[in-house]
Amino acid sequence: MTLLEVSSISRSFGGIRAVDEVSFALAGGERVAMIGPNGAGKSTCFNLLNGQLRPDAGRVLLAGRDVTLMGPAQKFRAGIGRTFQITATFASMTVAENVQMALLSHHGGLWNPWRRAHRALRDEAIGLLEQVGLVPQAARAAGVLAYGDLKRLELAIALANRPRLLLMDEPTAGMAPAERAALMNLASRIVSESGISMLFTEHDMDVVFGHADRVLVLNRGRLIFQGSGEAARADSRVRAVYLGTGTTSGGH
Ligand code: ADP
Ligand code: MG
């Protein structure tokens, strides 16, 4: 089933067509990587999908519903989650409280008379912390977590909203290679188990080819390729974009 359908979205900044008539679709549960050199338009594309930016033209459907012009909060409620772009954690609250806050917001906030009892929220928060391997840290302040653990907390917070689509723009930026692999393995496993679709950007091609069912290649705002990682590596247009390394194995 098609979850996300992006039809010919464009966005310019001054004279620069940052995203130029880009179209693609994501199936339910599919994990797709968007790659391309710096300035290709990847982050702009993500911001058009998460509601930070509005497209100049084009249409975005989520499960058949037109979400093109929704802002970030509406998109989030519609099931488009994102991680690692905003630091959504509160340093002085514990790890468990941070997840409980996110759950409270998902279940309708403090003023919803039907909201879950405190204990139920706490159990649900611990369940999410189990998924990301943070139960041992549940009672610590979020502010003292190591960087890799903070990323895992952010993932738990994103999952608290029960997203149908998870957007991750350079989720592993600033992480050491071993940590990167661990975070992506975790995110990839959770989305697969939960049937969540995932769209991510990543510089490390091992991560891309290890976790993407399909690859989209952007260059100068245009989508120049979509297909398997294998086919991307063999494609002459994709290779041309990555000239300088001559291959897609070490570029951006
Ligand atoms: P990527 O994430 O692939 O590196 P970006 O989407 O960040 O690419 O940028 C695409 C193009 O749009 C670049 O030329 C960049 O300079 C330009 N751009 C991105 N955001 C803005 C902005 N807020 N204002 C002006 N130009 C922007
Ligand atoms: Mg970017």
Side-chain angles (χ1 to χ4, degrees):
M1 188 205 81
T2 301
L3 177 68
L4 181 76
E5 200 177 337
V6 177
S7 307
S8 206
I9 53 167
S10 298
R11 172 73 195 215
S12 296
F13 296 108
I16 299 167
R17 293 180 76 92
V19 171
D20 193 2
E21 296 188 6
V22 167
S23 301
F24 63 90
L26 245 70
E30 198 179 20
R31 301 166 310 162
V32 173
M34 182 177 273
I35 64 171
N38 278 325
K42 305 180 297 294
S43 292
T44 303
C45 212
F46 273 72
N47 288 334
L48 292 174
L49 296 177
N50 69 32
Q52 287 290 114
L53 288 173
R54 288 188 177 175
D56 300 327
R59 201 173 62 155
V60 181
L61 300 181
L62 184 75
R65 178 180 177 199
D66 194 327
V67 298
T68 314
L69 298 177
M70 287 182 180
Q74 262 186 304
K75 285 257 175 82
F76 193 67
R77 279 196 296 273
I80 300 180
R82 61 182 168 141
T83 58
F84 316 130
Q85 283 288 287
I86 34 159
T87 298
T89 54
F90 295 92
S92 64
M93 294 193 332
T94 69
V95 167
E97 285 165 352
N98 266 284
V99 178
Q100 280 173 252
M101 281 283 287
L103 286 168
L104 201 54
S105 143
H106 173 62
H107 289 306
L110 283 168
W111 316 117
N112 178 347
W114 287 281
R115 76 190 165 88
R116 303 252 188 130
H118 181 79
R119 180 182 293 270
L121 275 185
R122 169 141 187 111
D123 291 348
E124 202 177 341
I126 295 296
L128 284 164
L129 291 177
E130 257 163 24
Q131 276 194 293
V132 302
L134 273 183
V135 172
Q137 316 266 37
R140 298 184 72 199
V144 305
L145 292 183
Y147 192 58
D149 286 344
L150 191 58
K151 295 263 184 177
R152 289 196 284 164
L153 174 56
E154 289 183 10
L155 181 58
I157 287 171
L159 293 170
N161 188 52
R162 302 279 178 256
R164 309 174 76 171
L165 167 66
L166 196 56
L167 301 174
M168 303 196 294
D169 190 1
E170 299 193 30
T172 68
M175 299 180 91
E179 265 190 334
R180 263 184 210 185
L183 182 76
M184 280 308 295
N185 286 338
L186 180 69
S188 200
R189 182 170 53 73
I190 292 173
V191 299
S192 297
E193 285 170 5
S194 321
I196 300 169
S197 305
M198 169 171 104
L199 181 67
F200 68 105
T201 67
E202 174 60 53
H203 287 297
D204 184 328
M205 288 301 146
D206 290 335
V207 171
V208 168
F209 295 124
H211 296 286
D213 302 319
R214 203 149 53 83
V215 175
L216 308 173
V217 185
L218 271 189
N219 187 41
R220 296 166 188 252
R222 313 267 321 180
L223 189 70
I224 60 162
F225 173 88
Q226 50 179 320
S228 69
E230 198 84 331
R233 272 188 271 209
D235 188 271
S236 59
R237 292 159 302 174
V238 178
R239 296 178 82 92
V241 165
Y242 283 94
L243 271 179
T245 60
T247 75
T248 53
S249 65
H252 289 292

